[in-house]
């Protein structure tokens, strides 16, 4: 995907402090990025027009932004959800231009958030500096459970949609939450990664091999046939390493060394063929050392590829893979995946 001929395609300017989080969505036949920043704003960008189209002022630094699948599936409206240092999680209706109800059960800054892949995104998990992971019902705006065990929870993810439940709108009658078989993983300043069973609300696994704070965690795609992907968790840390974990054995699989500063973001890289996008055995990491590195999880060799930003002290803060529309003038009608990332220099960039 990212050979030497790949180039910087677009850069979005407007934030006045570092970009903490980005997400991607399409609506009204157009493509949009939303972003959160330490400048206390959430911004909406039109990718094709390469400009900011909406701005929302928060009450404090914004730590994480996500498009809400629940509001899209159930109300056909586009809503951005974002967490903040003001201890709240807020919802912004883009078209209506108004704030919806907020979630305010945390007693510390809310760092990471993630929507459930089941029940149409009705449930949201959050990690906070109050040492808890919380699970919320977006429909009722109530806290369902607080998971305790961490010291200052930083990042969260929910296990991917199960292969026997391919309808994202399908509800489950199992248990109170309807998340039977799904888990939450969370990373913390206490250097651990913990796995929590959503239905039983019990902690099941603790990974302890990181030597620094865990800044990013991602579940592997839930598809068979990809070596090392299914039943894995990927993590990045202030110990400058990227690590791969096996959920079934509860053991560390591999350590990828090469970064020279905090690893702020990790992602599984999609596999692009002529007519489709699937899952590959390549992972991607963004670091405070100004680089984005690609690794093959099937081997212990060095990086497959490195994207280096040549400005000093810029740092890569967040990553997101996008499936952008093809240029109308292009003769290639296959699928294209691009990499979007936020930086310490207040910008958002797209590479491809």
């Amino acid at each position: 995907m990212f050979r030497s001929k790949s180039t910087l395609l677009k850069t979005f300017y407007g934030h006045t402090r570092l970009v903490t989080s980005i997400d991607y969505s399409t609506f009204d036949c157009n493509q949009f990025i939303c972003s959160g920043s330490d400048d206390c704003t959430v911004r909406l960008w039109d990718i094709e027009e390469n400009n900011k189209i909406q701005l929302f002022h928060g009450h404090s630094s914004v730590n994480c932004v996500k498009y809400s699948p629940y509001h899209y599936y159930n109300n056909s409206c586009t809503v951005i959800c974002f967490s903040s240092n003001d201890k709240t999680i807020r919802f912004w209706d883009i078209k209506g231009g108004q704030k919806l109800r907020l979630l305010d059960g945390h007693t510390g800054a809310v760092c990471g958030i993630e929507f459930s892949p089941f029940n149409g995104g009705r449930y949201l998990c959050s990690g906070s500096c109050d040492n808890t992971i919380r699970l919320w019902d977006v429909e009722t705006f109530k806290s369902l459970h607080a998971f305790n065990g961490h010291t200052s929870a930083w990042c969260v993810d929910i296990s991917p949609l199960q292969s026997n439940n391919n309808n994202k709108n399908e509800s489950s009658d199992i248990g109170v939450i309807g998340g039977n078989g799904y888990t939450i993983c969370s990373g913390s300043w206490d250097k651990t990664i913990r796995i929590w069973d959503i239905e039983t609300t019990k902690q099941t696994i603790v990974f302890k091999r990181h030597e620094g704070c865990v800044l990013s965690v991602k579940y592997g795609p839930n598809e068979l046939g990809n070596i090392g992907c299914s039943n894995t968790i990927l993590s990045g840390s202030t110990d400058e390493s990227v690590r791969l974990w096996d959920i079934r054995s509860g053991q560390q699989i591999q350590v990828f060394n090469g970064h020279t500063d905090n690893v702020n973001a990790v992602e599984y890289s999609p596999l692009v063929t002529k007519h489709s996008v699937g899952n590959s055995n390549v992972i991607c990491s963004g670091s405070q050392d100004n680089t984005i590195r690609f690794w093959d999880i099937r081997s212990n060799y060095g990086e497959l590829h490195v994207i280096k930003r040549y400005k000093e002290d810029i740092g890569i803060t967040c990553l997101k893979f996008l499936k952008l529309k093809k240029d109308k003038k292009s003769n290639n009608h296959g699928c294209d995946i691009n990499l979007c990332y936020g930086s310490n220099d207040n910008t958002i960039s797209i590479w491809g």
Side-chain angles (χ1 to χ4, degrees):
M1 283 176 51
F2 294 93
R3 298 182 297 272
S4 58
K5 68 178 182 179
S6 298
T7 59
L8 180 64
L9 302 179
K10 296 175 183 284
T11 301
F12 300 88
Y13 300 92
H15 282 299
T16 57
R17 297 194 65 181
L18 70 89
V19 178
T20 55
S21 179
I22 49 178
D23 201 8
Y24 165 78
S25 185
T26 59
F27 51 91
D28 294 338
C29 299
N30 293 314
Q31 303 176 101
F32 300 93
I33 295 169
C34 66
S35 59
S37 168
D38 268 357
D39 66 10
C40 306
T41 68
V42 176
R43 296 171 188 251
L44 183 67
W45 312 84
D46 186 315
I47 294 177
E48 292 180 76
E49 297 298 326
N50 200 33
N51 63 0
K52 174 182 66 70
I53 58 174
Q54 287 197 52
L55 169 67
F56 183 84
H57 288 280
H59 294 278
S60 186
S61 296
V62 178
N63 295 317
C64 191
V65 292
K66 298 285 181 181
Y67 285 101
S68 169
Y70 175 79
H71 290 89
Y72 178 80
Y73 292 136
N74 293 277
N75 302 314
S76 298
C77 60
T78 304
V79 171
I80 294 175
C81 175
F82 61 96
S83 62
S84 174
N85 281 351
D86 67 5
K87 309 174 187 179
T88 67
I89 301 168
R90 299 173 184 266
F91 294 81
W92 173 28
D93 183 345
I94 294 173
K95 290 188 176 180
Q98 61 182 353
K99 293 181 290 185
L100 306 179
R101 291 176 60 186
L102 59 82
L103 306 176
D104 60 355
H106 280 297
T107 58
V110 186
C111 304
I113 53 174
E114 188 65 49
F115 284 94
S116 66
F118 59 90
N119 287 38
R122 176 174 172 175
Y123 303 105
L124 178 78
C125 71
S126 57
S128 169
C129 292
D130 66 9
N131 304 337
T132 68
I133 306 296
R134 283 188 179 266
L135 189 68
W136 309 83
D137 187 333
V138 176
E139 184 174 279
T140 63
F141 283 83
K142 292 182 178 179
S143 175
L144 299 176
H145 187 74
F147 301 86
N148 292 282
H150 274 306
T151 300
S152 189
W154 186 257
C155 49
V156 292
D157 198 13
I158 300 181
S159 56
L161 192 68
Q162 296 173 4
S163 58
N164 61 352
N165 182 14
N166 292 320
N167 183 357
K168 293 183 180 180
N169 293 300
E170 181 180 343
S171 295
S172 170
D173 295 326
I174 301 174
V176 177
I177 297 172
N180 189 45
Y182 289 93
T183 59
I184 294 169
C185 73
S186 55
S188 169
W189 285 94
D190 63 18
K191 306 178 184 179
T192 69
I193 299 167
R194 299 172 188 258
I195 308 295
W196 316 84
D197 186 287
I198 289 178
E199 199 64 21
T200 66
T201 69
K202 302 297 184 182
Q203 179 180 286
T204 60
I205 303 174
V206 182
F207 296 110
K208 295 184 176 181
R209 300 288 292 277
H210 271 301
E211 298 174 2
C213 308
V214 182
L215 302 179
S216 182
V217 289
K218 291 290 178 181
Y219 277 98
N222 192 16
E223 293 184 9
L224 299 176
N226 291 352
I227 300 173
C229 279
S230 185
N231 296 304
T232 61
I233 289 174
L234 185 63
S235 62
S237 167
T238 59
D239 65 13
E240 304 175 3
S241 73
V242 178
R243 297 176 189 247
L244 192 67
W245 312 85
D246 189 322
I247 298 171
R248 293 164 296 186
S249 67
Q251 300 297 315
Q252 176 180 285
I253 303 173
Q254 289 191 66
V255 182
F256 302 92
N257 295 304
H259 284 297
T260 58
D261 207 331
N262 297 348
V263 179
N264 294 321
V266 290
E267 289 284 352
Y268 289 81
S269 175
L271 173 67
V272 181
T273 61
K274 185 175 182 181
H275 297 293
S276 65
V277 177
N279 294 311
S280 72
N281 293 297
V282 175
I283 59 175
C284 175
S285 54
S287 169
Q288 202 67 27
D289 66 9
N290 304 346
T291 68
I292 299 172
R293 298 172 188 258
F294 294 84
W295 322 78
D296 190 330
I297 63 177
R298 296 168 298 181
S299 71
N300 286 314
Y301 300 125
E303 305 97 346
L304 296 176
H305 185 63
V306 179
I307 298 175
K308 182 173 178 58
R309 297 291 302 271
Y310 291 97
K311 290 174 63 177
E312 293 184 1
D313 301 322
I314 136 180
I316 307 300
T317 55
C318 47
L319 299 170
K320 188 75 177 181
F321 284 99
L322 319 176
K323 181 181 177 181
L324 297 185
K325 293 179 182 179
K326 297 293 290 184
D327 190 331
K328 295 179 181 179
K329 298 180 182 179
S330 174
N331 293 323
N332 182 1
H333 299 291
C335 296
D336 246 3
I337 293 293
N338 298 86
L339 179 63
C340 181
Y341 52 89
S343 307
N344 276 341
D345 67 352
N346 316 333
T347 64
I348 302 163
S349 303
I350 297 180
W351 188 278

